[in-house]
Amino acid sequence: MFKKILIANRGEIACRVIKTARKMGIQTVAIYSDADRKALHVEMADEAVHIGPPPANQSYIVIDKVMEAVKSSGAEAVHPGYGFLSENSKFAEALDAAGVAFVGPPVGAIEKMGDKITSKKIAQEAGVSTVPGYMGLIDDAEHAVKIAAEVGYPVMIKASAGGGGKGMRIAWNDDEAREGFQSSKNEAANSFGDDRIFIEKFVTQPRHIEIQVLCDSHGNGIYLGERECSIQRRNQKVVEEAPSPFLDEKTRRAMGEQAVALAQAVNYASAGTVEFIVDGDKNFYFLEMNTRLQVEHPVTELITGVDLVEQMIRVANGEALSITQDDVKLNGWAIENRLYAEDPYRGFLPSIGRLTRYRPPAEVAAGPLLDNDKWQGDAAAGPVAVRNDTGVFEGGEISMYYDPMIAKLCTWAPTRAEAIEAMRVALDSFEVEGIGHNLPFLSAVMDHPIFIKGEMTTAFIAEEYPEGFEGVNLPEADLKRIAAATAAMNRIGEIRRARVSGRMDNHERKVGTDWNVALQGVSFDVTISAADSTGATVTFDSGESLRVQGDWTPGDQLAKMTVGDAPLVLKVGKISGGFRIRTRGADLKVHVRTPRQAELARLMPEKVAADTSKLLLCPMPGLVVKLDVAEGDQVQEGQALCTIEAMKMENILRAEKAGTVSKVNASAGDSLAVDDIIMEFE
């Protein structure tokens, strides 16, 4: 076995590989850019090598610099993670020439299947059903428009070397094809050093389901079930689960056998993923093969008990697979939510800054990466399991140079319903402050009836949140539970304040029993009684009573309560006269007042927000790539105004309505902060 492995990556996947290498007794080497000097993966590794400036195209994807780190560290093998150089055949060739093992497939398999254009041709030749499209290289934007028209709109414009949603655009007309081609080309060049683009028909209402394969160099190949990845935003997966709630055993077997046959046709040896789109009749079509470890691999590990990173390392060391297809059993259900540094209230635009608070829920028997040596499903995990793969820490910074993913939160349970409920609690328990993040949106998805029924398609987010995410309006039953909990919490604070020493004589403060709780536009009159020290009973004016129990002290930012015999987890902040409460995707201002205070509060005027309708504000920290208009220009609704680049993604800002540009405050190349004024309108 290898004695030392270099991880040619960063962030959570680098930390993930280090965990397994440590379990196997293998030393690890991290690489890092200037921006990652104090990153978690650098701290976790046995040694670390600096490789350059923050931009990936000057550090992490520069083969010569990574090879220098391999040579100086004496590493015997390299695990590429995902993204960066993971599917770069030239990198694999360089390692082979240096006598260093590549923890991934052979160069030939990368070249044939890692390239989307070539892989589609091979699939077609093998008789695999594929999505219609143009497999040749595209010269320029006008060529792209011509091809798109021939294929038939809508079309998907994709980077040949792409992945993770980078270099992908959907075009519904000629103008969008022209714009999408250039943006995809730019993103592909910046992210992968390869700007080749191809076009395929965009199949509406599809489900995205992928098969995990595992092959060795001795001719053995197996599949480890499927992953449902249909909930995507901007072609980037957000929620994944295994198995799929849609497939039956017959379809699963057919997809799995076809995936293995395709892998073995190119002498594949390592972990890999064959992606399909599946229609409502369970017809499946080959999309692409990712010749690397997938971001969402933990859900497969949780339902099979197989450590995929360990298997990759063993295959790279020349070992044969120790498990056969008959050994693969799908046990229970696993769900993964990707926590991104993206503000859902600003159209999911990237957010950067310092993590002033980062407290994930505690991991609980979460499969092969925790303390148990041999995970046995529910026998070891108990009723539920929680796993959090992350590459950040409290006090660390989220950089503008890299992918905005912070963590992958996973839950496992014997059934899908139990796994969803475990995820709801885990999301409510996840504390993140200092940056915008998508935790509220993830919570909303876990409660969405379409997701609960398992009937989602890749159009889920676009169809269910067409105007973007604006938060969650909780039903009255949930509001009552929150009102009861906050009334009880307010009582705890009142008792503390009543016991403050140094009071004036004859000025004793008494804790009242009657209160009004106002939240989300409704209010409840309640009476609180506490017969014992274990909790309080909150009675509403309707006569309904709820028992509230929990261990919460004023100042705690997380309240784990039991209300009416059901758990309730609240993230708590203090505001004047009450609390800021975040739970189940809702962000609430909860005011707890005496009846007289509530009566007077109803007479207070509401503060009106400032009018920004005539301003184009920068929605996220980023770099101005180009300006499409100048002062004095007339613009129409939907017209492109400028392009902002952030976290390797180009974002085109468009006019919300017709108008005239009166002033432009930014230039191409400027770095802007959130809400900087880019231009003004008459």
Side-chain angles (χ1 to χ4, degrees):
M1 180 51 67
F2 307 120
K3 295 181 179 179
K4 183 184 289 189
I5 290 178
L6 181 141
I7 299 103
N9 218 297
R10 63 175 302 281
E12 70 85 16
I13 188 57
C15 298
R16 160 72 186 89
V17 175
I18 290 170
K19 288 180 181 179
T20 285
R22 182 182 295 163
K23 182 184 72 173
M24 298 175 69
I26 301 171
Q27 290 188 317
T28 55
V29 182
I31 57 175
Y32 64 93
S33 67
D34 293 338
D36 282 338
R37 191 174 297 274
K38 296 182 179 180
L40 184 61
H41 74 282
V42 175
E43 295 296 321
M44 288 180 63
D46 295 299
E47 55 187 282
V49 181
H50 176 254
I51 56 167
N57 59 9
Q58 298 178 40
S59 52
Y60 290 106
I61 64 172
V62 180
I63 294 175
D64 289 344
K65 290 186 176 182
V66 178
M67 292 304 300
E68 289 174 9
V70 173
K71 183 178 179 181
S72 65
S73 65
E76 302 167 83
V78 172
H79 196 299
Y82 52 75
F84 291 154
L85 297 172
S86 61
E87 294 177 286
N88 189 307
S89 60
K90 293 181 180 178
F91 180 53
E93 287 176 347
L95 290 171
D96 185 58
V100 178
F102 178 65
V103 185
V107 172
I110 296 175
E111 291 176 338
K112 294 173 183 175
M113 300 306 292
D115 183 289
K116 292 180 175 62
I117 294 174
T118 304
S119 67
K120 276 184 169 287
K121 289 180 179 178
I122 292 174
Q124 288 175 335
E125 292 169 359
V128 179
S129 176
T130 59
V131 180
Y134 181 80
M135 298 298 103
L137 297 179
I138 300 169
D139 302 327
D140 52 33
E142 295 310 315
H143 190 199
V145 170
K146 179 182 177 182
I147 292 168
E150 292 173 353
V151 172
Y153 291 107
V155 298
M156 176 74 81
I157 301 170
K158 303 176 75 171
S160 180
K166 305 296 187 301
M168 300 174 69
R169 292 290 190 279
I170 299 173
W172 296 80
N173 53 51
D174 289 354
D175 289 339
E176 291 183 4
R178 195 174 287 110
E179 281 184 3
F181 173 80
Q182 195 57 54
S183 290
S184 294
K185 194 176 183 71
N186 292 344
E187 285 180 9
N190 290 335
S191 297
F192 311 108
D194 183 342
D195 66 355
R196 292 175 301 152
I197 299 296
F198 72 103
I199 292 176
E200 66 184 13
K201 179 73 174 177
F202 178 66
V203 180
T204 56
Q205 299 296 313
R207 297 181 78 115
H208 185 132
I209 300 176
E210 59 191 29
I211 301 292
Q212 176 70 59
V213 297
L214 184 61
C215 303
D216 62 25
S217 56
H218 302 275
N220 302 306
I222 60 174
Y223 62 94
L224 291 90
E226 79 283 358
R227 295 185 287 259
E228 172 81 57
C229 308
S230 294
I231 296 183
Q232 305 178 4
R233 190 192 56 73
R234 295 180 66 178
N235 306 308
Q236 194 172 57
K237 300 161 190 171
V238 179
V239 178
E240 300 100 350
E241 60 181 303
S244 166
F246 183 63
L247 292 192
D248 53 40
E249 184 56 39
K250 179 181 177 181
T251 308
R252 175 180 296 116
R253 186 183 307 110
M255 292 175 68
E257 291 174 352
Q258 182 172 312
V260 171
L262 187 61
Q264 292 185 320
V266 292
N267 297 316
Y268 198 87
S270 191
T273 297
V274 180
E275 300 193 348
F276 297 90
I277 55 171
V278 185
D279 66 21
D281 295 323
K282 295 186 174 65
N283 298 308
F284 54 89
Y285 303 92
F286 171 73
L287 274 179
E288 62 188 17
M289 182 174 187
N290 290 309
T291 57
R292 55 173 168 82
L293 190 67
Q294 290 282 87
V295 176
E296 58 273 18
H297 74 274
V299 291
T300 296
E301 294 184 326
L302 287 168
I303 66 167
T304 62
V306 176
D307 186 331
L308 289 170
V309 173
E310 178 181 350
Q311 294 301 317
M312 292 179 74
I313 293 173
R314 293 193 180 282
V315 169
N317 192 47
E319 298 180 23
L321 295 182
S322 59
I323 52 178
T324 66
Q325 192 63 58
D326 290 340
D327 296 326
V328 178
K329 306 297 181 185
L330 306 187
N331 180 22
W333 216 283
I335 296 175
E336 174 180 290
N337 279 204
R338 297 192 192 185
L339 173 57
Y340 284 113
E342 297 174 336
D343 191 340
Y345 302 106
R346 288 176 173 266
F348 297 94
L349 292 171
S351 177
I352 63 173
R354 190 172 298 281
L355 283 165
T356 57
R357 189 173 183 85
Y358 180 74
R359 309 284 174 88
E363 291 189 290
V364 181
L369 295 186
L370 291 185
D371 294 337
N372 46 309
D373 294 328
K374 183 69 174 177
W375 190 62
Q376 297 291 339
D378 55 353
V384 298
V386 179
R387 166 174 164 179
N388 187 57
D389 285 17
T390 188
V392 302
F393 56 90
E394 187 168 290
E397 279 199 64
I398 302 300
S399 170
M400 67 179 288
Y401 297 102
Y402 310 115
D403 188 272
M405 190 168 67
I406 299 172
K408 301 181 308 194
L409 180 64
C410 305
T411 55
W412 176 94
T415 66
R416 185 172 188 266
E418 291 170 313
I420 292 173
E421 181 58 29
M423 180 59 74
R424 291 170 179 150
V425 174
L427 288 169
D428 284 342
S429 304
F430 209 135
E431 300 179 74
V432 181
E433 303 291 348
I435 59 166
H437 55 78
N438 66 334
L439 276 175
F441 175 72
L442 296 174
S443 292
V445 171
M446 293 299 103
D447 278 331
H448 199 288
I450 289 179
F451 174 74
I452 293 171
K453 293 177 184 177
E455 297 175 350
M456 57 281 182
T457 71
T458 56
F460 171 82
I461 293 177
E463 291 178 349
E464 299 304 316
Y465 302 94
E467 303 301 322
F469 180 73
E470 298 177 351
V472 172
N473 288 320
L474 295 174
E476 184 173 322
D478 289 346
L479 294 178
K480 277 191 172 183
R481 298 181 69 233
I482 295 170
T486 51
M489 291 158 60
N490 180 71
R491 176 179 177 275
I492 294 172
E494 285 291 302
I495 292 173
R496 171 176 284 195
R497 287 185 283 274
R499 293 174 178 172
V500 172
S501 61
R503 294 171 298 178
M504 296 176 63
D505 292 340
N506 302 319
H507 285 77
E508 183 178 357
R509 181 170 181 169
K510 295 184 178 180
V511 178
T513 58
D514 295 331
W515 298 89
N516 176 272
V517 184
L519 69 168
Q520 197 179 286
V522 299
S523 66
F524 302 101
D525 292 320
V526 301
T527 300
I528 305 177
S529 60
D532 53 55
S533 60
T534 62
T537 299
V538 179
T539 303
F540 294 81
D541 56 0
S542 63
E544 180 183 358
S545 294
L546 289 173
R547 180 69 175 167
V548 180
Q549 296 173 285
D551 183 15
W552 181 81
T553 301
D556 289 351
Q557 296 186 39
L558 194 68
K560 295 185 177 181
M561 319 288 284
T562 300
V563 181
D565 298 324
L568 179 65
V569 180
L570 308 173
K571 286 190 269 287
V572 183
K574 192 72 181 77
I575 61 173
S576 178
F579 307 94
R580 179 193 179 192
I581 297 295
R582 286 168 291 173
T583 185
R584 291 295 173 93
D587 194 334
L588 307 169
K589 288 184 178 180
V590 183
H591 291 97
V592 185
R593 304 180 175 107
T594 65
R596 177 57 177 162
Q597 289 171 335
E599 180 183 349
L600 296 174
R602 296 187 189 102
L603 304 176
M604 296 293 291
E606 292 187 13
K607 185 177 180 180
V608 179
D611 181 13
T612 60
S613 62
K614 294 185 178 181
L615 304 175
L616 176 64
L617 305 179
C618 188
M620 76 295 229
L623 182 74
V624 180
V625 177
K626 68 173 181 175
L627 293 168
D628 295 292
V629 297
E631 290 183 12
D633 285 357
Q634 296 278 340
V635 299
Q636 301 300 318
E637 181 180 352
Q639 182 177 337
L641 301 175
C642 70
T643 302
I644 305 293
E645 180 184 310
M647 291 184 170
K648 301 191 292 184
M649 298 288 282
E650 288 194 354
N651 303 274
I652 299 175
L653 307 187
R654 301 180 182 276
E656 294 182 354
K657 58 184 178 181
T660 303
V661 180
S662 61
K663 187 178 181 181
V664 178
N665 300 311
S667 302
D670 288 354
S671 292
L672 302 181
V674 174
D675 289 339
D676 277 355
I677 300 175
I678 301 173
M679 59 185 70
E680 303 172 26
F681 303 90
E682 293 180 359

